[in-house]
Amino acid sequence: MIEAKNIYLSYDDNKYVIKKGNFSIKPKEFIFIGGNSGSGKSTLLKSFYGDIPLKHGSLKIDNQEVFGIRGKKLRVLRKDIGIIFQDYKLINEYTIEENIMIPLKINGYSDEISKDQANKLLAHVRLSHRAGYYPNELSGGEQQRVAVARALAHNPKIIIADEPTGNLDDFSAEVVWNLLKGANEQLGITIVVVTHRVPKNLGIKFRQLSIEDGIIYEVS
Amino acid sequence: MKFLKNLFAFLIPLLSMLITFSIFLLIDNVVDNYKSKISRDYSIIIVTTTPVEKDSIKELAGIKVEKIQNLPNDKIISSIQSNLSETSVELLKQKLPNFYQIYLEIFPTTSELDDIKQTLLQNKNVRKVEVFYKNHNQIYLLLLLLNSVSFILFFIITIFAIIIIAKQIKLWFHEHSVKISILRLHGASILYSASSILNYALLSSLLSFLISAAFLYYVSNNMIVLFPIELHEIVDIDINLFTELVKIFSLSFSISTFTIFGVLLKYKITND
């Protein structure tokens, strides 16, 4: 599913954030990527969806080489990925139903199908009663549940989540973890989560990677 | 309120440009009408050694010839006939050159008249050409000046309009940057991501076109808006409204599209 060989990432040419990164992630795996603040966890995740270009090496997502990817190929890659951000990244001028419809509309589904799927997912994340609300009318926990629903909307092969519970209270965090666990177990979606706090009692088999001084280690 | 503000920021420069273009089209039409009006009373006289057929002069220096009229020389002969013998009259009839009056389809400018004269004199058969420079109408020259001024004004306003429209589109990109970046992260193309901006631009273009079309229609039926009443006997507006509206529509949408795609291209190059 994800195959990294000798990857180097940096924001400028002088200092590499990730050095000589080698790892592989199999389909349907649940992966946590940990490390201290500023260790390069989010940078690594951004490289998965082409938001940061690779300096060297090879990174394949579902057999698509990410090195040097741009234009139409990059758009196709992103269409196959569900992304969850720490700050939710919902569009404030859209209702939450319309936010969930975004990946479906981009993938060319009709309004009717997109709306139907959005409502199913709103029920799944228990926010049906808020379908017509705007993001800034919801709590942080609710916004993140909308973000999870949006990431699941187009049935992606992989979901990438960057500190999805970083801004949430314990209750909301547990709801989000359960949604991701369900996506992995029931839908077989590969989940890659960057977090500095791996949840206890997740009740699912997972693998953990860690980044220290730009080097990626296998923890467990 | 914000929607209207955004709309007006695009609409006003585009509308200024289209109104100026409409004025230019109207003045151009007035000049054309005036030209054909005075061309009916204007002609060139040529003197040739041998007779000239109309078909041999269909066009003069790029200007179409409407008709060639032969000026009979019988009158000249009859006025001097009493003092001449019959043999001399016959000889005179044979030796006298041919006189023609040439009517053109339009009224030529002074430089076009010069070209016509030179073109005619290049023909060895043509002995003399009289173009009557002095008859050249001063009102016509003033209208030509007005036409040039309106075109220059339209040109300058177009440049400023494009600059203002481009700035407004950049501003829209800035205002919608979060939305655009979220959509792009989900794999949307730049056109899809910027669709709300495109909608603003297209709506503004359509509104500008409709307002300027209404202006053109109103002014073409109420000349007093452009020309004082004293000029109404001289100038005349007779436009083909459909053709002129097509020109305004094409200009409105081509300028909008050109500017939008320019900004989109720049955004794509900077952000990809």
Side-chain angles (χ1 to χ4, degrees), chain A residues 6-156:
Chain A
N6 217 17
I7 60 167
Y8 285 77
L9 298 169
S10 76
Y11 290 96
D12 58 62
D13 289 338
N14 300 324
K15 195 186 169 193
Y16 288 112
V17 183
I18 299 291
K19 291 175 273 191
K20 222 177 178 180
N22 285 290
F23 61 90
S24 76
I25 297 169
K26 293 189 185 79
K28 299 179 185 178
E29 271 197 299
F30 200 118
I31 303 285
F32 284 106
I33 300 173
N36 295 327
S37 294
S39 59
K41 306 185 293 287
S42 298
T43 306
L44 178 64
L45 219 56
K46 282 180 180 177
S47 72
F48 288 4
Y49 52 89
D51 209 22
I52 289 191
L54 263 68
K55 291 290 174 187
H56 304 286
S58 164
L59 176 65
K60 284 185 177 171
I61 312 276
D62 199 22
N63 289 323
Q64 170 63 57
E65 178 60 62
V66 176
F67 183 87
I69 194 168
R70 59 202 301 267
K72 198 176 177 184
K73 279 187 176 176
L74 178 60
R75 293 206 304 273
V76 171
L77 173 79
R78 286 175 174 177
K79 281 180 186 177
D80 284 339
I81 299 175
I83 313 171
I84 302 167
F85 303 92
Q86 184 177 1
D87 58 354
Y88 329 125
K89 288 206 191 303
L90 299 175
I91 296 175
N92 283 328
E93 56 259 50
Y94 288 1
T95 63
I96 62 166
E97 185 188 53
E98 288 166 342
N99 267 284
I100 296 169
M101 286 163 70
I102 290 171
L104 294 157
K105 301 271 284 173
I106 292 171
N107 276 280
Y109 290 99
S110 67
D111 277 355
E112 201 184 346
I113 292 172
S114 304
K115 205 168 179 166
D116 190 46
Q117 173 76 339
N119 284 314
K120 280 180 190 163
L121 284 159
L122 276 171
H124 181 64
V125 298
R126 297 183 180 179
L127 284 171
S128 292
H129 59 296
R130 306 260 183 172
Y133 281 51
Y134 288 90
N136 50 18
E137 295 173 313
L138 305 183
S139 70
E142 287 174 324
Q143 287 191 54
Q144 196 59 301
R145 275 149 65 194
V146 175
V148 174
R150 184 180 62 186
L152 288 167
H154 54 306
N155 199 17

Side-chain angles (χ1 to χ4, degrees), chain B residues 5-239:
Chain B
K5 200 179 151 192
N6 276 332
L7 207 62
F8 279 118
F10 193 99
L11 188 136
I12 289 170
L14 190 61
L15 186 60
S16 313
M17 187 191 76
L18 294 180
I19 295 278
T20 325
F21 184 61
S22 306
I23 293 172
F24 164 70
L25 289 178
L26 288 166
I27 294 174
D28 197 47
N29 182 262
V30 165
V31 173
D32 277 346
N33 289 341
Y34 190 72
K35 219 191 242 186
S36 53
K37 192 176 169 184
I38 55 175
S39 68
R40 276 178 243 134
D41 304 326
Y42 177 79
S43 61
I44 296 166
I45 302 290
I46 62 167
V47 182
T48 63
T49 314
T50 56
V52 168
E53 295 296 322
K54 196 220 165 178
D55 287 349
S56 67
I57 309 178
K58 279 184 178 171
E59 207 172 77
L60 282 172
I63 295 169
K64 284 186 179 164
V65 172
E66 189 170 303
K67 63 174 178 179
I68 296 175
Q69 201 175 326
N70 189 8
L71 298 173
N73 46 22
D74 297 352
K75 279 184 185 173
I76 306 167
I77 295 167
S78 60
S79 65
I80 53 170
Q81 202 171 18
S82 55
N83 304 323
L84 297 168
S85 65
E86 271 191 23
T87 324
S88 302
V89 169
E90 278 308 308
L91 194 65
L92 190 64
K93 272 184 182 173
Q94 284 170 20
K95 292 284 177 187
L96 210 61
N98 302 284
F99 296 86
Y100 294 97
Q101 198 167 8
I102 301 176
Y103 290 90
L104 301 169
E105 281 192 6
I106 58 150
F107 189 65
T109 61
T110 313
S111 60
E112 281 170 339
L113 276 180
D114 272 334
D115 288 344
I116 289 170
K117 190 173 180 180
Q118 293 311 316
T119 310
L120 286 167
L121 288 173
Q122 276 168 14
N123 189 331
K124 283 178 184 169
N125 185 31
V126 178
R127 290 165 64 178
K128 191 162 173 57
V129 178
E130 185 50 72
V131 291
F132 306 107
Y133 281 114
K134 283 181 184 172
N135 284 12
H136 223 260
N137 199 304
Q138 293 219 330
I139 295 171
Y140 174 64
L141 291 175
L142 281 172
L143 283 174
L144 275 185
L145 178 71
L146 190 62
N147 198 15
S148 304
V149 169
S150 68
F151 182 76
I152 291 166
L153 195 67
F154 158 67
F155 184 75
I156 292 168
I157 288 177
T158 301
I159 290 170
F160 279 107
I162 289 173
I163 293 169
I164 295 168
I165 290 168
K167 291 254 180 227
Q168 181 56 37
I169 295 172
K170 276 184 196 166
L171 196 69
W172 282 342
F173 263 92
H174 181 69
E175 282 174 7
H176 291 78
S177 60
V178 173
K179 182 179 162 185
I180 291 172
S181 70
I182 292 170
L183 291 170
R184 303 261 293 155
L185 284 174
H186 284 87
S189 65
I190 183 73
L191 272 180
Y192 184 97
S193 310
S195 57
S196 53
I197 295 174
L198 295 178
N199 289 341
Y200 271 140
L202 291 175
L203 183 63
S204 305
S205 304
L206 186 67
L207 280 175
S208 309
F209 164 69
L210 291 175
I211 297 169
S212 46
F215 171 82
L216 184 75
Y217 177 75
Y218 179 76
V219 174
S220 62
N221 290 300
N222 298 275
M223 277 205 306
I224 198 153
V225 179
L226 273 188
F227 298 100
I229 203 150
E230 292 81 5
L231 283 176
H232 286 196
E233 280 191 13
I234 303 166
V235 297
D236 178 33
I237 296 176
D238 179 24
I239 56 165

